Amino acid sequence: MNPFSHAEHIPYLLSHCRTIAVVGLSPKPHRTSFDVARYLQQQGYRIIPVNPNATEVLGERAYATLLEAAQHETVDLVNCFRNSEDIPPIVDEAIAIGARAVWMQLGVANPAAAAKAEAAGLLVVQDRCIKIDHRVLLASGLLPAPAWQPADQAGGVPLSCSS
């Protein structure tokens, strides 16, 4: 049983998980996964791309699997940009590498995989955009601002998962 309520997961994760493996991170700038990962990178998070069809994304070496990434990096949080039915093997790998959490992006949920992750001690977020949640918490003062302010933060950018 996790010691945190669901409401506490998000601020806790965004404050304590600084290295994020992004499963399904596309190297194509017009894709939502790229935009979200770039935003997180701009906020000071370390991004580890996981995509078997890419060699590098956002200046970071891409890995084919979480297991491969974990041979070279320590992963705190696994952010999933995959279909809901693809989540169980990702959760299995997240458990195997000792990740602290699994975050399923907006539109992605798998209750059975979430229950398995939670039973293994991982924190789980389903069907939410990490970028939106970060922006809301940052704007409300519940997360510290980065030491520098990215250009796209000036002037109040809309809270969408792809902008």
Side-chain angles (χ1 to χ4, degrees), residues 1-62:
M1 184 81 179
N2 289 321
F4 300 98
S5 71
H6 181 74
E8 293 171 316
H9 283 180
I10 294 169
Y12 176 83
L13 292 174
L14 293 174
S15 296
H16 293 88
C17 295
R18 304 303 302 172
T19 302
I20 302 173
V22 183
V23 178
L25 176 53
S26 174
K28 299 174 183 174
H30 68 278
R31 302 296 288 269
T32 301
S33 63
F34 185 95
D35 179 66
V36 170
R38 179 180 53 205
Y39 170 82
L40 292 171
Q41 215 177 35
Q42 291 170 340
Q43 298 304 311
Y45 295 90
R46 173 81 194 286
I47 299 301
I48 309 299
V50 178
N51 182 332
N53 300 314
T55 56
E56 183 179 295
V57 183
L58 292 166
E60 295 284 351
R61 177 181 172 189

Side-chain angles (χ1 to χ4, degrees), residues 6 102-112 114-115 124-128:
H6 181 74
V102 173
W103 188 302
M104 296 175 229
Q105 277 297 131
L106 201 57
V108 181
N110 189 306
V124 177
V125 176
Q126 297 185 83
D127 193 22
R128 296 185 67 100

Side-chain angles (χ1 to χ4, degrees), residues 9 18 65-66 93 118 127:
H9 283 180
R18 304 303 302 172
T65 67
L66 282 172
E93 287 190 5
E118 288 177 341
D127 193 22

Side-chain angles (χ1 to χ4, degrees), residues 48-91:
I48 309 299
V50 178
N51 182 332
N53 300 314
T55 56
E56 183 179 295
V57 183
L58 292 166
E60 295 284 351
R61 177 181 172 189
Y63 298 94
T65 67
L66 282 172
L67 296 174
E68 181 187 347
Q71 293 174 6
H72 305 277
E73 312 284 350
T74 300
V75 174
D76 297 323
L77 183 146
V78 176
N79 186 16
C80 305
F81 278 93
R82 296 295 311 268
N83 293 325
S84 297
E85 61 270 12
D86 298 330
I87 297 301
I90 296 168
V91 163

Side-chain angles (χ1 to χ4, degrees), residues 136-153:
V136 168
L137 292 170
L138 190 62
S140 64
L142 296 174
L143 288 177
W148 49 272
Q149 186 175 14
D152 74 342
Q153 289 294 302

